């Protein structure tokens, strides 16, 4: 009998493999950071013994959720100016708040708070684009969360880079520093086509190719962006992607609300992956992405919460629920975006979007990124269909245990890596400084402030 580090015993296991295997009373054997066996409870008990047994009877065991697009540090700007017209929200609140307050300290503590929130709601991997991303990586490492980080690149100065070249150099530093880390990976993230010149986009594409890394970009978030790009460059956004080399890269595009049928076909042919941000799109009234058409075209789709200034929470269960229901009501078709499809977007397909080959499903050889959801609760009773439950019934607070890279990060709702009280108090202190800066800047809409800040949707 082989001894391993950990066995999760007796749970209802969703493998999220190609055949959507479910083991009604199963067990998992984990050695180090890797799943080495999955089977019935009896089969695993006959073959393995472990230093640690995690009982999972009456629970659902599944891969950790993957938040494929967010801005973790923007937890510090959660609820700062809700229910306002977009331009007022940006120019009078978010832009000045970022210009005055974004620094390494804010990014570190805001990201650590985001990690606590994501762990508590079952997210084990997140992909981040913001500023001072080295601090995001350090926060994620402390929390034990898997992350993909990218420094936002702009034409104009940001709090972390006075020139585009500095932003590119900072990104290259991230590649060199984190290249062999088991939890942190790096990609290249020009903010958008309307905040980056063609020369920056070309440089970003070359850097991504140099390090064989993905490149992520906000793309056609609303109709106004489509019109802006057409007017500024006298060409479509998709043509601009092609001419700057981005379409030949390992491209990940966010939002993609204002796509035409021709755009969808072009992106599908280029093997571009797309992250759907349903709640952020709704809150900012950006419109509805043509999700069904993208799926029909064979585009691999993931889900992301976006940042807390345009969503207000990082709960991927809430994101799944919204993504499924919004597509149904917009298409007037209850059969589109079935629950199984949405769960795959948040797990195995989310991993494919980000370029990970070893997470997103519970099969031997995959990394042990696992969540356990207790089912013995009134709102989770009875259970007829696991996928339906996960999308329409389960909430982030139902997650009891989180394991990332083979390490228990939360057990019985208690975080093991983060001092929540310290993090909350630190962010409260930072929030007071943000509030004070907004009071001083009240009513100002100075172009210098706007130009020297980063976008609220970095």
């Amino acid at each position: 009998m082989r001894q391993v580090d950990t066995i999760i015993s007796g749970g209802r296991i969703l493998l999220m493999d190609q055949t959507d295997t479910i083991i009604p009373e199963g067990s998992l054997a984990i050695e180090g950071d890797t799943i080495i066996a999955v089977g019935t409870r009896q089969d695993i008990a006959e073959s393995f013994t472990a230093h640690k047994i995690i009982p999972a009877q009456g629970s659902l065991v599944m891969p950790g959720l993957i938040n494929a697009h967010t801005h973790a540090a923007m937890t510090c700007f959660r609820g700062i100016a809700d229910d306002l017209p977009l331009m007022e929200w940006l120019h009078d609140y978010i832009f000045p708040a970022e210009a005055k307050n974004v620094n390494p300290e804010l990014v570190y503590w805001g990201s650590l708070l985001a990690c606590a929130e994501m762990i508590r709601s079952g997210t084990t991997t997140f992909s981040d684009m913001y500023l001072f991303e080295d601090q995001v990586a350090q926060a994620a490492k402390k929390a034990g969360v898997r992350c993909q980080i990218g420094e936002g690149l702009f034409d104009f100065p940001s709090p972390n880079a006075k020139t585009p070249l500095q932003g590119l150099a900072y990104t290259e530093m991230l590649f060199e520093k984190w290249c062999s880390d088991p939890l942190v990976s790096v990609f290249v993230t020009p903010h958008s086509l309307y905040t980056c010149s063609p020369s920056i986009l070309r440089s970003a594409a070359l850097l991504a190719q140099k390090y064989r890394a993905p490149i992520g970009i906000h793309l056609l978030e609303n109709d106004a962006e489509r019109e802006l790009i057409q007017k500024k460059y006298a060409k479509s956004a998709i043509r601009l992607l092609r001419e700057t080399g981005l379409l030949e890269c390992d491209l990940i595009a966010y939002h993609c609300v204002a796509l035409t049928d021709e755009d969808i076909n072009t992106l599908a042919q280029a093997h571009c992956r797309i992250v759907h941000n349903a709640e952020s799109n709704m809150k900012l009234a950006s419109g509805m992405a043509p999700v069904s058409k993208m799926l029909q075209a064979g585009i691999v789709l993931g889900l992301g919460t976006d940042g807390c200034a345009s969503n207000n929470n990082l709960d991927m269960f809430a994101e799944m629920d919204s993504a499924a229901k919004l597509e149904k009501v917009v298409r007037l078709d209850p059969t589109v975006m079935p629950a199984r499809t949405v769960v795959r977007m948040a797990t195995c397909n989310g991993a494919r979007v980000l370029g990970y080959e070893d997470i997103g499903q519970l099969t031997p050889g995959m990394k042990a990124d696992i969540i356990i959801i207790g089912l013995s609760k009134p709102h989770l009773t009875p259970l007829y269909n696991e996928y339906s439950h996960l999308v329409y019934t389960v909430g982030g607070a139902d997650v009891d245990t989180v394991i990332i890279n083979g390490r228990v990060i939360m057990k019985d709702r208690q975080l093991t890596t983060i001092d929540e009280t310290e993090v909350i108090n630190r962010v409260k202190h930072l929030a007071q400084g943000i509030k004070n800066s907004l009071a001083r800047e009240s009513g100002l809409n100075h172009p210098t402030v706007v130009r020297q800040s980063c976008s609220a949707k970095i």
Side-chain angles (χ1 to χ4, degrees):
M1 184 173 288
R2 179 177 174 180
Q3 188 169 58
V4 295
D5 294 319
T6 305
I7 291 176
I8 301 174
S9 176
R12 192 171 187 85
I13 303 178
L14 270 68
L15 271 62
M16 300 308 302
D17 58 0
Q18 291 298 315
T19 58
D20 291 320
T21 304
I22 299 175
I23 305 175
E25 188 174 355
S27 293
L28 285 144
I30 302 168
E31 188 167 288
D33 60 4
T34 303
I35 298 168
I36 62 167
V38 185
T40 67
R41 183 180 183 184
Q42 181 178 348
D43 287 345
I44 296 299
E46 289 175 353
S47 301
F48 299 93
T49 183
H51 299 292
K52 181 190 299 180
I53 304 289
I54 299 177
Q57 291 90 340
S59 297
L60 192 63
V61 181
M62 67 176 291
L65 303 182
I66 296 171
N67 189 344
H69 175 57
T70 193
H71 316 293
M74 293 196 79
T75 52
C76 293
F77 301 113
R78 189 196 322 262
I80 196 171
D82 287 336
D83 306 321
L84 291 172
L86 178 59
M87 288 300 106
E88 180 182 347
W89 179 70
L90 286 173
H91 291 284
D92 294 346
Y93 291 91
I94 298 298
F95 282 163
E98 288 182 326
K100 292 285 186 180
N101 296 283
V102 172
N103 57 37
E105 180 187 20
L106 179 142
V107 171
Y108 177 80
W109 290 105
S111 298
L112 200 54
L113 182 68
C115 288
E117 182 177 351
M118 286 190 279
I119 293 167
R120 284 192 162 279
S121 52
T123 291
T124 56
T125 299
F126 69 100
S127 180
D128 199 70
M129 180 206 288
Y130 200 58
L131 300 164
F132 299 103
E133 283 289 302
D134 187 50
Q135 301 298 312
V136 178
Q138 292 181 43
K141 277 289 285 187
K142 178 174 178 56
V145 179
R146 196 179 304 279
C147 70
Q148 181 184 65
I149 58 167
E151 182 75 9
L153 303 174
F154 308 91
D155 277 341
F156 46 81
S158 79
N160 191 30
K162 295 186 182 301
T163 67
L165 288 178
Q166 287 183 5
L168 290 163
Y170 186 89
T171 300
E172 191 148 20
M173 178 277 292
L174 294 174
F175 277 114
E176 297 296 334
K177 179 174 181 178
W178 297 99
C179 63
S180 59
D181 194 90
L183 288 178
V184 179
S185 63
V186 180
F187 69 144
V188 183
T189 53
H191 172 262
S192 65
L193 297 179
Y194 61 89
T195 56
C196 291
S197 67
S199 64
I200 296 173
L201 296 173
R202 292 188 188 95
S203 296
L206 290 173
L207 186 59
Q209 290 168 353
K210 175 181 177 179
Y211 286 95
R212 298 182 180 180
I215 189 163
I217 190 168
H218 295 100
L219 180 65
L220 293 175
E221 191 165 346
N222 56 28
D223 289 333
E225 180 185 335
R226 169 178 282 281
E227 294 167 4
L228 174 64
I229 293 167
Q230 184 67 43
K231 182 177 180 180
K232 184 175 182 179
Y233 295 106
K235 62 188 67 173
S236 71
I238 303 303
R239 182 178 171 186
L240 187 58
L241 285 177
R242 187 182 299 281
E243 291 182 357
T244 55
L246 267 66
L247 210 56
E248 298 174 3
C249 290
D250 188 12
L251 183 63
I252 307 169
Y254 312 125
H255 298 287
C256 295
V257 169
L259 295 181
T260 65
D261 291 349
E262 183 180 357
D263 294 339
I264 293 171
N265 290 332
T266 300
L267 292 174
Q269 291 169 9
H271 304 291
C272 173
R273 288 100 66 199
I274 291 174
V275 182
H276 181 38
N277 306 102
E279 292 193 351
S280 175
N281 293 342
M282 286 192 289
K283 185 165 182 276
L284 293 177
S286 296
M288 177 62 190
V291 178
S292 294
K293 288 183 177 181
M294 290 190 284
L295 289 170
Q296 291 166 5
I299 293 175
V300 180
L301 288 176
L303 288 179
T305 60
D306 212 350
C308 280
S310 59
N311 183 328
N312 295 53
N313 71 68
L314 301 173
D315 187 340
M316 283 290 291
F317 285 101
E319 197 69 35
M320 284 195 286
D321 181 79
S322 294
K325 292 176 179 174
L326 180 60
E327 185 71 7
K328 294 175 190 298
V329 73
V330 169
R331 309 302 169 202
L332 297 178
D333 183 352
T335 68
V336 299
M337 285 285 276
R340 172 186 168 277
T341 296
V342 179
V343 175
R344 293 185 73 85
M345 288 169 67
T347 53
C348 53
N349 285 351
R352 291 176 63 194
V353 166
L354 301 185
Y356 288 102
E357 298 180 350
D358 56 0
I359 61 173
Q361 57 180 290
L362 304 184
T363 53
M366 304 297 279
K367 297 301 182 185
D369 289 6
I370 303 164
I371 62 175
I372 303 175
I373 300 164
L375 297 173
S376 298
K377 300 163 187 172
H379 68 288
L380 299 182
T381 305
L383 170 62
Y384 296 113
N385 182 287
E386 291 82 2
Y387 301 106
S388 172
H389 244 43
L390 289 169
V391 173
Y392 302 121
T393 310
V394 174
D398 293 317
V399 178
D400 296 327
T401 298
V402 174
I403 298 169
I404 304 176
N405 217 40
R407 180 186 181 191
V408 177
I409 303 299
M410 182 174 75
K411 176 65 173 173
D412 297 327
R413 299 294 299 163
Q414 297 298 310
L415 301 184
T416 64
T417 58
I418 298 174
D419 183 339
E420 287 182 278
T421 300
E422 180 187 16
V423 175
I424 289 169
N425 287 338
R426 290 272 194 162
V427 173
K428 284 181 176 179
H429 176 74
L430 291 167
Q432 187 58 54
I434 294 169
K435 186 182 295 185
N436 292 342
S437 73
L438 286 175
R440 290 192 297 269
E441 296 291 333
S442 179
L444 290 182
N445 185 16
H446 196 281
T448 302
V449 173
V450 174
R451 184 167 178 76
Q452 292 185 351
S453 65
C454 50
S455 169
K457 305 257 323 104
I458 291 175

